[in-house]
């Protein structure tokens, strides 16, 4: 699994847009944060309406109908955390329409959803602005959500949490996220090559103490 952002990379990308005092940049900031916090596919996100968000702010769940999902077989719901709520609210607040059926992020005509190609172009732009040597696409945010869950979850079965959060029908689809994170591999290899020796354990410290005391 290589197509995800580490916490530092994600923060760099978000900050690149957040620090620009421009409505379009702020919109992009909230879009990228929402994708990273929800794990939605970009096709699903592009079809979210204002009405969907208004309902999610009341129920704490954003409903994704199966008709909008890959494969079209299973409905899905995204739990709206406090942080995700703030970004959804910000996107809804900047939408000029008050019609429930209006896309949360409309295209240039103000009525139809912003195109997938436009999302790709905006994310590529901010990736370059952040100075990241990566070919980030919208789907990277979905992988990032899963990797963050696997890394930080204190649940007994973090893979099950990732499966539920992403709406996977089969746990085997989630298995890809159980491979070592690239930053963990890099840190381990760096430590090994630095020649710093083995980890300091209590047993090792005890032996050193006994040598000194003897």
């Amino acid at each position: 699994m290589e197509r995800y952002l580490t916490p530092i990379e994600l923060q760099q990308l978000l900050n690149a847009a957040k620090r620009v005092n421009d409505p379009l940049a702020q919109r992009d900031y909230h879009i990228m944060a929402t994708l990273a916090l929800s794990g939605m596919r970009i096709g699903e996100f592009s079809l979210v309406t204002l009405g969907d968000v208004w309902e999610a702010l009341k129920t704490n769940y954003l409903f994704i109908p199966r008709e909008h999902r890959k494969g079209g077989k299973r409905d899905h719901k995204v739990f709206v955390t406090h942080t995700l709520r703030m970004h959804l609210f910000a996107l809804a607040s900047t939408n000029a329409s008050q019609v429930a059926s209006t896309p949360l992020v409309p295209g240039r005509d103000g009525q139809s959803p912003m195109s997938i190609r436009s999302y790709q172009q905006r994310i590529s732009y901010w990736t370059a602005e952040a100075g990241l040597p990566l070919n980030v696409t919208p789907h990277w945010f979905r992988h990032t959500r899963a990797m963050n869950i696997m890394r930080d979850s204190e649940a007994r079965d973090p893979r099950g949490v990732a499966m539920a959060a992403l709406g996977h029908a089969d746990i085997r689809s989630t298995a890809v996220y159980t491979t070592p994170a690239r930053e963990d591999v890099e840190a381990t290899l760096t430590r090994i090559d630095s020649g710093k020796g083995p980890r300091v354990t209590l047993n090792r410290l005890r032996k050193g103490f006994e040598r000194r005391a003897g």
Side-chain angles (χ1 to χ4, degrees):
M1 171 51 62
E2 295 286 338
R3 299 185 301 276
Y4 71 96
L5 295 159
T6 67
I8 292 176
E9 290 167 344
L10 177 59
Q11 198 58 57
Q12 283 181 258
L13 182 55
L14 294 177
N15 285 344
K18 184 180 182 181
R19 64 174 172 248
V20 178
N21 186 22
D22 173 78
L24 187 60
Q26 293 303 301
R27 182 205 65 180
D28 291 348
Y29 161 66
H30 292 298
I31 288 172
M32 293 188 292
T34 296
L35 291 174
L37 290 165
S38 69
M40 282 187 283
R41 296 182 179 91
I42 193 61
E44 299 166 354
F45 176 74
S46 69
L47 297 176
V48 171
T49 66
L50 282 175
D52 295 332
V53 171
W54 294 338
E55 186 66 17
L57 296 177
K58 290 189 294 184
T59 65
N60 289 328
Y61 281 97
L62 179 61
F63 179 69
I64 311 296
R66 58 181 175 271
E67 292 85 354
H68 295 175
R69 304 198 69 225
K70 183 179 179 180
K73 294 181 179 180
R74 291 165 57 94
D75 294 333
H76 179 49
K77 61 181 180 181
V78 174
F79 176 60
V80 179
T81 63
H82 176 71
T83 310
L84 177 55
R85 168 184 291 271
M86 291 190 297
H87 293 292
L88 287 173
F89 181 80
L91 287 172
S93 298
T94 57
N95 194 312
S97 174
Q98 291 298 309
V99 179
S101 59
T102 301
L104 176 63
V105 183
R108 292 184 178 180
D109 63 4
Q111 299 298 320
S112 57
M114 191 166 99
S115 70
I116 303 301
R117 179 59 179 161
S118 293
Y119 282 110
Q120 294 170 337
Q121 290 174 336
R122 297 305 299 166
I123 290 170
S124 292
Y125 172 80
W126 291 117
T127 301
E129 287 293 300
L132 296 175
L134 304 168
N135 184 27
V136 179
T137 69
H139 205 68
W140 280 47
F141 294 100
R142 180 171 172 83
H143 294 320
T144 298
R145 180 59 166 167
M147 292 299 286
N148 285 342
I149 292 171
M150 296 300 296
R151 182 191 300 107
D152 299 330
S153 174
E154 296 180 357
R156 181 176 300 177
D157 180 17
R159 188 174 62 164
V161 176
M163 177 184 177
L166 270 62
H168 285 159
D170 192 324
I171 193 67
R172 289 174 295 184
S173 299
T174 319
V176 65
Y177 303 113
T178 62
T179 58
R182 57 185 161 86
E183 62 269 28
D184 292 338
V185 173
E186 292 168 0
T188 299
L189 295 178
T190 298
R191 181 181 61 79
I192 291 172
D193 290 351
S194 69
K196 293 182 178 179
R199 289 178 294 172
V200 177
T201 64
L202 277 175
N203 185 51
R204 184 182 171 199
L205 292 172
R206 161 57 65 177
K207 288 180 179 179
F209 167 77
E210 291 176 347
R211 283 197 305 270
R212 294 191 303 273

mmCIF file of all heavy atoms in Angstrom, residues 180-190:
data_model
loop_
_atom_site.group_PDB
_atom_site.id
_atom_site.type_symbol
_atom_site.label_atom_id
_atom_site.label_comp_id
_atom_site.label_asym_id
_atom_site.label_seq_id
_atom_site.Cartn_x
_atom_site.Cartn_y
_atom_site.Cartn_z
ATOM 1 N N PRO A 180 2.666 -3.350 6.447
ATOM 2 C CA PRO A 180 3.384 -2.277 7.152
ATOM 3 C C PRO A 180 3.302 -0.953 6.403
ATOM 4 O O PRO A 180 3.426 -0.912 5.178
ATOM 5 C CB PRO A 180 4.828 -2.796 7.196
ATOM 6 C CG PRO A 180 4.714 -4.272 7.061
ATOM 7 C CD PRO A 180 3.537 -4.499 6.156
ATOM 8 N N ALA A 181 3.087 0.133 7.137
ATOM 9 C CA ALA A 181 3.069 1.460 6.536
ATOM 10 C C ALA A 181 4.469 1.802 6.037
ATOM 11 O O ALA A 181 5.461 1.437 6.660
ATOM 12 C CB ALA A 181 2.596 2.490 7.554
ATOM 13 N N ARG A 182 4.533 2.519 4.924
ATOM 14 C CA ARG A 182 5.852 2.815 4.352
ATOM 15 C C ARG A 182 6.708 3.650 5.306
ATOM 16 O O ARG A 182 7.926 3.474 5.346
ATOM 17 C CB ARG A 182 5.717 3.520 3.000
ATOM 18 C CG ARG A 182 4.916 4.803 2.995
ATOM 19 C CD ARG A 182 4.758 5.311 1.557
ATOM 20 N NE ARG A 182 3.678 6.261 1.415
ATOM 21 C CZ ARG A 182 3.797 7.557 1.633
ATOM 22 N NH1 ARG A 182 4.950 8.070 2.007
ATOM 23 N NH2 ARG A 182 2.765 8.368 1.457
ATOM 24 N N GLU A 183 6.095 4.531 6.098
ATOM 25 C CA GLU A 183 6.892 5.324 7.028
ATOM 26 C C GLU A 183 7.469 4.448 8.139
ATOM 27 O O GLU A 183 8.561 4.710 8.647
ATOM 28 C CB GLU A 183 6.084 6.486 7.617
ATOM 29 C CG GLU A 183 4.875 6.096 8.447
ATOM 30 C CD GLU A 183 3.601 5.991 7.631
ATOM 31 O OE1 GLU A 183 3.678 5.703 6.412
ATOM 32 O OE2 GLU A 183 2.529 6.189 8.227
ATOM 33 N N ASP A 184 6.745 3.368 8.513
ATOM 34 C CA ASP A 184 7.271 2.446 9.513
ATOM 35 C C ASP A 184 8.438 1.646 8.944
ATOM 36 O O ASP A 184 9.427 1.392 9.641
ATOM 37 C CB ASP A 184 6.165 1.495 9.984
ATOM 38 C CG ASP A 184 5.084 2.201 10.775
ATOM 39 O OD1 ASP A 184 5.368 3.288 11.319
ATOM 40 O OD2 ASP A 184 3.965 1.674 10.841
ATOM 41 N N VAL A 185 8.299 1.234 7.688
ATOM 42 C CA VAL A 185 9.384 0.506 7.027
ATOM 43 C C VAL A 185 10.627 1.394 6.934
ATOM 44 O O VAL A 185 11.748 0.969 7.246
ATOM 45 C CB VAL A 185 8.959 0.044 5.617
ATOM 46 C CG1 VAL A 185 10.146 -0.551 4.864
ATOM 47 C CG2 VAL A 185 7.823 -0.977 5.705
ATOM 48 N N GLU A 186 10.410 2.649 6.510
ATOM 49 C CA GLU A 186 11.537 3.572 6.355
ATOM 50 C C GLU A 186 12.218 3.851 7.697
ATOM 51 O O GLU A 186 13.453 3.881 7.790
ATOM 52 C CB GLU A 186 11.047 4.880 5.726
ATOM 53 C CG GLU A 186 10.602 4.722 4.274
ATOM 54 C CD GLU A 186 9.850 5.929 3.764
ATOM 55 O OE1 GLU A 186 9.676 6.893 4.540
ATOM 56 O OE2 GLU A 186 9.426 5.904 2.588
ATOM 57 N N ALA A 187 11.417 4.051 8.744
ATOM 58 C CA ALA A 187 11.985 4.337 10.065
ATOM 59 C C ALA A 187 12.781 3.147 10.583
ATOM 60 O O ALA A 187 13.862 3.307 11.168
ATOM 61 C CB ALA A 187 10.881 4.706 11.042
ATOM 62 N N THR A 188 12.246 1.946 10.364
ATOM 63 C CA THR A 188 12.935 0.743 10.834
ATOM 64 C C THR A 188 14.253 0.539 10.104
ATOM 65 O O THR A 188 15.292 0.252 10.716
ATOM 66 C CB THR A 188 12.039 -0.489 10.647
ATOM 67 O OG1 THR A 188 10.848 -0.322 11.420
ATOM 68 C CG2 THR A 188 12.754 -1.755 11.098
ATOM 69 N N LEU A 189 14.220 0.692 8.775
ATOM 70 C CA LEU A 189 15.441 0.518 7.997
ATOM 71 C C LEU A 189 16.482 1.586 8.341
ATOM 72 O O LEU A 189 17.683 1.305 8.392
ATOM 73 C CB LEU A 189 15.115 0.545 6.504
ATOM 74 C CG LEU A 189 14.241 -0.608 5.990
ATOM 75 C CD1 LEU A 189 13.951 -0.430 4.505
ATOM 76 C CD2 LEU A 189 14.910 -1.954 6.244
ATOM 77 N N THR A 190 16.014 2.800 8.581
ATOM 78 C CA THR A 190 16.937 3.868 8.968
ATOM 79 C C THR A 190 17.605 3.558 10.302
ATOM 80 O O THR A 190 18.812 3.760 10.474
ATOM 81 C CB THR A 190 16.197 5.217 9.056
ATOM 82 O OG1 THR A 190 15.675 5.538 7.763
ATOM 83 C CG2 THR A 190 17.131 6.325 9.518
#
